[in-house]
Amino acid sequence: MINKLIIALVFVCFSFPAFATCFESSFLKQALLKDLGEKSTWIGLAEENVPSPQAIVLFENLKKKSWTIVVYHVERNSMCIVANGNYAHKLMVK
């Protein structure tokens, strides 16, 4: 259920970025690092070696386990916050 909700939120933010809180990308990166200690650790692109107008980026602080998911709009150089939280658990796939 929660996975479907996250997918729906990401879809809405890709389609209608006005629904999300957006910032200039370097400002948001600096704010997340300064205020929460979160660094970008993962980026999701549509295809490898193909320019993409959007990407999903995960920022996280591994010590505090806080995280923020953003949609990066490359052409506008802006990032829109989709979700964030204060706890994370790494899944180990065998």
Side-chain angles (χ1 to χ4, degrees), residues 4 6-7 9 15 25 28 48 69 71 86 91 94:
K4 290 180 183 178
I6 291 172
I7 291 169
L9 284 171
S15 303
S25 62
L28 184 60
E48 186 178 9
I69 297 174
V71 175
N86 293 317
L91 299 176
K94 292 183 182 184

Side-chain angles (χ1 to χ4, degrees), residues 3 60 87-94:
N3 290 340
E60 62 183 336
Y87 180 75
H89 181 75
K90 290 276 186 194
L91 299 176
M92 302 300 290
V93 180
K94 292 183 182 184

Side-chain angles (χ1 to χ4, degrees), residues 1-22 54-56 67-73 80-85:
M1 176 73 176
I2 192 84
N3 290 340
K4 290 180 183 178
L5 178 62
I6 291 172
I7 291 169
L9 284 171
V10 170
F11 173 76
V12 167
C13 290
F14 265 112
S15 303
F16 309 100
F19 288 121
T21 304
C22 301
Q54 294 108 357
I56 296 174
W67 56 271
T68 303
I69 297 174
V70 303
V71 175
Y72 175 37
H73 297 277
C80 302
I81 298 172
V82 176
N84 66 339

